[in-house]
Amino acid sequence: MKRKILVTGLGAVSAAGLTVEENIRTLSSGTSAVRPEPALLRTRLAVPVGEVGVGNARLKECLGIAYDVPVTRTALLALLAAREAVEDAGLDSSALSGGRTGFILGTSVGGMDLTEDFYEDFRHDCEAGGDIRMIRMHDCGASTDFVAKRLGIKGFTITVSTACSSAGNAIMLGARMISAGLLDTVIAGGADALSRFTMNGFNSLRILSASLCRPFDISRDGLNLGEGAGFMVLQSASSLHGGSVPYCELSGWAGTDEAYHQTGSSADGEGAFDSMSQALEKAGLEPSMIDYVNTHGTGTPGNDLAEGTAIHRLFGAEARYGSFKGYIGHTLAASEGIEAVFCAVMLKENRLWPSLGFSDIDPAIGTGPYMASGEGISLKHIVSNSFGFGGNNSSLVFSKTDDSNVG
């Protein structure tokens, strides 16, 4: 018997806000939270970024963490969003500490921010320079362990690091664990903080835009990096207690790896097509039943061409799709964690937000993103994509669920 997997809690932090409510308010205003250049991150690159406008000291204060405790910004953002999701789902300490609850974090940056700060001091004095505690959180798994311990989770805990598809694969792994009967509840998502390492890395690839990104537009010339965290609580229908009302159902998922190039996707969009097709098959849905596709939509020439081609091929010329990158930037491993939260809200509230930055259709793609104000629109099924380096593609299908019959 197929176990229905329900989304019962949401948490998100991005440049658009420190909570889900703040993020939704920004989206609804139709304004971008991407700023002309970093204000907190020390870097020589003066390019637009979706930076969370709160420093680490303030984040620690909000989370009850002592100022002098070295904690990577990735972990701070993750804890803030994961805690919100847990509270939203109404999970108490006994539920969190039980062996049937798991925590899965997707990240690629990990503790790079603290390592960069350590190295600055260490290179000037290799004997006494730098606080060695700062690099103990360098490994991606250190952020996972930190958050899990703060939440009181004692069961299954694991880290996923597949570049920009990390959060999507984390959510997918959580669904598979529940589907297999190994867990009843999973807090899954992703988190990444801006760092000089990633800023310079993407700059070396020459895919950072000097202006607000323009997903799918013919004039698109690159992406805007961002930071943040997004988590959702997944639960089997049989594990729900009391009057819990789910946001939606995670009805399908799939991941493919086309291994076409170290960083780019194949121009024909074969990997994206396979990922979305397999996710629909898992959900038992036909392409005509999908009301909206939340794209990876970074605004780079190659990514948008591949994904747009795949969407046109699978869903047809009338496909309704869009990108959130113009609002919050590309948050790397956190992107699907945050955007999956947005998808759940869209289904729950029957609303869509127009993409930002789009003006003119690219003839090579043949269609453009959804640009209308979509309040009161009927939504039943949404596909959400996240694609990582190496052609690692993840697609999730979220479906409206009948609140009166979730079993």
Side-chain angles (χ1 to χ4, degrees):
M1 179 180 176
K2 180 181 177 181
R3 303 186 89 196
K4 181 175 285 190
I5 299 171
L6 302 172
V7 177
T8 61
L10 303 176
V13 53
S14 75
L18 300 183
T19 64
V20 173
E21 182 180 357
E22 289 181 7
N23 274 269
I24 298 307
R25 191 181 306 134
T26 298
L27 295 179
S28 299
S29 73
T31 58
S32 175
V34 176
R35 296 294 175 256
E37 60 184 78
L40 299 175
L41 179 70
R42 290 178 289 113
T43 174
R44 296 175 183 175
L45 288 175
V47 293
V49 292
E51 186 177 48
V52 175
V54 177
N56 289 357
R58 176 58 179 152
L59 290 174
K60 287 181 179 180
E61 182 181 345
C62 292
L63 295 166
I65 299 171
Y67 176 80
D68 60 349
V69 175
V71 183
T72 177
R73 186 169 175 85
T74 296
L76 294 173
L77 295 172
L79 180 56
L80 190 63
R83 188 177 69 174
E84 182 185 16
V86 165
E87 293 174 353
D88 188 34
L91 299 179
D92 58 22
S93 58
S94 61
L96 291 171
S97 62
R100 302 287 296 177
T101 296
F103 178 70
I104 306 176
L105 169 65
T107 184
S108 61
V109 175
M112 182 60 72
D113 59 322
L114 287 187
T115 301
E116 290 173 344
D117 290 341
F118 168 83
Y119 178 69
E120 271 194 35
D121 293 331
F122 180 76
R123 69 174 178 167
H124 294 300
D125 184 353
C126 61
E127 295 295 331
D131 183 347
I132 194 65
R133 297 178 302 166
M134 298 174 75
I135 60 173
R136 288 176 182 158
M137 289 200 75
H138 176 85
D139 186 82
C140 290
S143 294
T144 307
D145 288 343
F146 178 85
V147 177
K149 288 176 181 177
R150 285 277 170 166
L151 293 177
I153 295 173
K154 299 179 180 178
F156 180 81
T157 303
I158 197 168
T159 308
V160 175
S161 189
T162 55
C164 304
S165 62
S166 297
N169 284 327
I171 293 170
M172 181 165 57
L173 177 57
R176 291 174 60 197
M177 296 291 287
I178 294 174
S179 182
L182 299 174
L183 294 172
D184 294 325
T185 301
V186 178
I187 300 100
D192 260 344
L194 286 169
S195 71
R196 282 162 282 179
F197 174 81
T198 47
M199 291 281 289
N200 290 324
F202 277 84
N203 188 53
S204 71
L205 294 173
R206 299 182 180 179
I207 55 174
L208 292 182
S209 179
S211 57
L212 184 67
C213 66
R214 301 177 293 282
F216 300 102
D217 191 87
I218 190 172
S219 69
R220 65 190 185 278
D221 65 352
L223 57 83
N224 307 138
L225 286 175
E227 64 178 354
F231 286 88
M232 51 178 37
V233 176
L234 306 176
Q235 291 186 274
S236 62
S238 59
S239 68
L240 292 187
H241 302 290
S244 297
V245 178
Y247 285 89
C248 59
E249 175 188 357
L250 176 56
S251 58
W253 55 84
T256 61
D257 197 338
E258 56 185 306
Y260 171 79
H261 184 271
Q262 294 98 320
T263 60
S265 302
S266 57
D268 60 8
E270 192 65 31
F273 178 85
D274 288 344
S275 179
M276 291 187 288
S277 297
Q278 292 175 29
L280 290 182
E281 183 179 359
K282 176 73 175 178
L285 300 173
E286 296 295 327
S288 61
M289 301 170 71
I290 300 302
D291 299 302
Y292 184 77
V293 180
N294 170 50
T295 67
H296 190 54
T298 59
T300 62
N303 174 87
D304 289 6
L305 175 61
E307 189 172 15
T309 299
I311 290 172
H312 193 285
R313 175 184 170 191
L314 183 60
F315 299 105
E318 302 303 316
R320 196 158 47 192
Y321 66 91
S323 171
F324 286 113
K325 302 300 190 291
Y327 290 95
I328 61 174
H330 182 12
T331 58
L332 303 180
S335 60
E336 182 58 17
I338 299 169
E339 294 175 24
V341 168
F342 295 165
C343 288
V345 173
M346 286 194 292
L347 277 170
K348 187 72 174 179
E349 298 185 359
N350 285 310
R351 66 189 303 179
L352 294 174
W353 294 282
S355 293
L356 295 183
F358 178 82
S359 297
D360 300 306
I361 289 177
D362 182 348
I365 298 175
T367 62
Y370 180 81
M371 297 299 294
S373 177
E375 290 198 41
I377 193 168
S378 178
L379 297 172
K380 292 184 178 179
H381 306 286
I382 292 176
V383 170
S384 188
N385 293 329
S386 56
F387 304 144
F389 283 170
N392 192 299
N393 306 301
S394 172
S395 295
L396 306 176
V397 182
F398 295 100
S399 300
K400 191 179 293 293
T401 186
D402 183 355
D403 293 346
S404 62
N405 182 23
V406 297

